[in-house]
Amino acid sequence: MSEIDEMKNSMVAELATMLMEKDKKLNLDQALSLVINSDTYQKLLDDRTRLYFQSPRYVYSFLEHELKTGQVG
């Protein structure tokens, strides 16, 4: 696994953790599903965005906006 892939995986784990911290009813599988099925995740996978270099809080702000509005911020 490349370093970039590790960074992406780490970001996904951080995003899922943040979702569970915000909503105590979510379990890990549910939180990971929300992340992986999001447009934010697709942007994270796109190497051109270099989103994996950003802080998890910054990327989480996009995910949170998307989950609230249905649109990527």
Side-chain angles (χ1 to χ4, degrees):
M1 180 179 293
S2 74
E3 184 177 346
I4 289 174
D5 288 337
E6 288 181 28
M7 292 169 71
K8 291 175 184 178
N9 288 340
S10 177
M11 181 70 74
V12 168
E14 288 284 339
L15 294 173
T17 299
M18 286 186 248
L19 283 172
M20 289 187 306
E21 287 172 356
K22 182 165 182 161
D23 183 350
K24 303 294 186 196
K25 293 179 266 178
L26 284 179
N27 65 37
L28 181 58
D29 287 339
Q30 293 167 322
L32 285 172
S33 179
L34 284 171
V35 173
I36 291 170
N37 291 305
S38 70
D39 288 335
T40 301
Y41 177 71
Q42 293 306 313
K43 290 189 179 301
L44 176 64
L45 293 182
D46 184 348
D47 289 338
R48 294 173 296 172
T49 67
R50 301 177 67 84
L51 209 50
Y52 49 84
F53 279 119
Q54 302 301 321
S55 74
R57 287 267 173 227
Y58 178 75
V59 178
Y60 180 76
S61 69
F62 287 97
L63 179 61
E64 187 174 43
H65 178 76
E66 178 183 353
L67 294 174
K68 284 181 182 175
T69 66
Q71 300 175 344
V72 180

